[in-house]
Amino acid sequence: MNDSVNLKKTVLHAYHVSRNANMASFGGYSMPLWYETGAKAEHLAVITAAGLFDTSHMAVITISGEGAFDLLQHSFTRDLNSCVGSSQAPLSKGRCVYGLFLETDGTVIDDAIVTELGAGRYMVVVNSGMGPVVSDHLRKLATAGVSITDHSDMIGKIDLQGPRSALIIEQVLDRPDAVLDGLSYFTCRGDIFGERGSDVTLGGSIPVLLSRSGYTGEFGFELFTALADTENVWRLILEAGEPFGITVCGLASRDSLRTGAMLPLSHQDIGNWKFGQTPWSFVLPKNGRGATFTKQFVGADSLLGEPDSYTYGFAGYDPRKIPVTESSRVVDADGSEIGIILTCTTDMAIDRVGDDRQRIVSVATPAAEGRPGDFRPRGLCCGFIKTNTPCRIGDKIKLVEGRRTLNVEIREDIRPNRTARCSMQRMRSKSEERETRA
Amino acid sequence: MKELDELNLPGDLYYTKDHEWALKEGDTIKVGISDYAQDQLGDIVFVELPEIGTQFERGDEFGTLESVKAVSEIYMPISGEIVDVNSELEDAPELLNEDPYDAWIVEVRPEDEDQYDELLSSNDYLEILKG
């Protein structure tokens, strides 16, 4: 593939090329779409075993100093005083939270995961190419004494995702029990930014920041490393993962996995339009029934009151997709045009079952919960639409582009039986692992 | 991603610039997609086939391929009538990736046999791919 000379390369670029990856431009980087295994096998591997992704194109910003907390409270949609778990506890060291940075008019600059590294120290992970944009935005809002550092292209990031991720990472971690015990969903350990070095290392001495998070809907980790260590960490995990069926995965499977998991892609499913009613509206710090917010923040005033757009997940009835173009449209049962398509892809691990082909099951659905013995999914088209009128879950709508029309259903969720929130204990237990493999 | 010199472009087949292949077998012609096409598309997850008996002109869209990347049209290398379709592809679209020359898509009774001689040889097709 002839990459434009202007495209940036991640530190793992030579590996991707050596593995004959199909490379394409994404967010200003030359990134692998899939390897010789193919996107379907990569997608399935993350659901049934484990996949390894180079996500070093993601941008990392750190914020520290007195006023760092106040800056995030003012600029980030989540209320850091009440955002963790069902008890809405404050953010604390080693906890991560997902939210948005907005303009004052309520449009989305980018989404982010904010992690508290220590007292007054935060890591903010934003999208490819967004490091300078978000850090400039934050600098304009910051008070004196806040230090904002854009680490774009200075940090390596590797995602290990899938139900066997714990069994693999414990092979390479130094002191795995100490690191993994109690590492629940959206928590992290280790630190690659502090002066004292990381208390999490792998391969004998390589410092990493290990976060139990990801962008696939499946159990797994995001690992942050110094640039000089990234290739070593990648190789160590690949070697350790081989007996567990680890598969190197590209961005195509990352996209189909995240869509099936109902996760948005910034600048595609959320973006430079006013944030409306969406599956991700939990990022707003609603007070009680939602008439007010628990804090004041940039963009808050424009988001009170009725939304002017509605975003929904959908799933179709076979793998056929609609190309998302200027002319693709969403049409309701009466034939009225109601909106546009944001994302349309195929989750290749799911299909509809039963005589009426209504119920969606996944390759990970236990037989006891309805997966047929001879289940061979063909995949289902799925994605997100944005409408100008509210729809209900279960509504049947049509996606139209040119001569092609697809019937799809508005869904609250798409791929069932995801593992992202499964307990560490369960995922480290090999007997359980054998069951999920069966 | 295959390099051009890694592509399998059998010399006994004829090709189009839209990356279909054609092969005369008796008085009909089998049509499929080239190794280059399947490699570029990535995993093919769905194949939409035409009805048997449909008449198409050369260059008409006669079906679509759904890959993980995109929805792609497939075009008639020659004018003619669809006399058979490879319905195996409906349940196993991955056959197109595994062996695009064994996995023919449609069989056509040509309207004008001369059109077959106007198709590209494997060498001519490779030259077009080289750009």
Side-chain angles (χ1 to χ4, degrees), chain A residues 32-103:
Chain A
L33 286 184
W34 57 77
Y35 299 82
E36 286 178 334
T37 32
K40 182 175 183 178
E42 293 166 20
H43 180 107
L44 290 168
V46 172
I47 293 170
T48 59
L52 195 65
F53 299 81
D54 174 17
T55 53
S56 304
H57 60 307
M58 300 294 282
V60 178
I61 298 166
T62 51
I63 305 175
S64 60
E66 207 174 311
F69 176 86
D70 290 340
L71 172 60
L72 284 169
Q73 277 295 70
H74 182 49
S75 61
F76 193 54
T77 57
R78 299 300 290 269
D79 185 343
L80 302 189
N81 283 320
S82 54
C83 61
V84 175
S86 51
S87 61
Q88 296 291 286
L91 192 68
S92 54
K93 185 182 174 190
R95 289 276 179 184
C96 322
V97 62
Y98 172 80
L100 308 175
F101 292 107
L102 303 174
E103 299 282 8

Side-chain angles (χ1 to χ4, degrees), chain A residues 1 20-22 33-34 36-41 252 318-323 345-346 348 376 378 403-404, chain B residues 1-3 6 39-46 48 61 64 66-71 73 90-92 94:
Chain A
M1 202 102 196
N20 285 332
N22 185 324
L33 286 184
W34 57 77
E36 286 178 334
T37 32
K40 182 175 183 178
D318 61 44
R320 281 177 302 159
K321 295 183 285 288
I322 284 273
T345 182
T346 305
M348 290 153 285
R376 276 185 64 235
R378 292 202 302 168
R403 283 172 297 163
R404 174 170 276 214
Chain B
M1 192 60 122
K2 291 184 178 180
E3 298 294 336
E6 294 170 334
D39 187 54
Q40 289 286 318
L41 288 170
D43 285 347
I44 294 164
V45 298
F46 196 85
E48 240 173 27
E61 294 171 20
T64 53
E66 297 262 346
S67 72
V68 291
K69 190 155 122 185
V71 183
E73 317 297 346
E90 288 175 342
D91 286 328
E94 64 274 10

Side-chain angles (χ1 to χ4, degrees), chain A residues 241-254:
Chain A
E242 210 181 348
F244 299 93
I246 196 169
T247 299
V248 182
C249 300
L251 292 188
S253 57
R254 184 167 153 91

Side-chain angles (χ1 to χ4, degrees), chain A residues 49 51 64 78 84 89 124 128 166 175 192 204 228 293 301 326 330 337 438:
Chain A
S64 60
R78 299 300 290 269
V84 175
V124 179
S128 181
R175 303 183 308 120
I192 56 166
F293 293 127
D301 291 345
E326 291 282 303
V330 179
E337 193 176 308

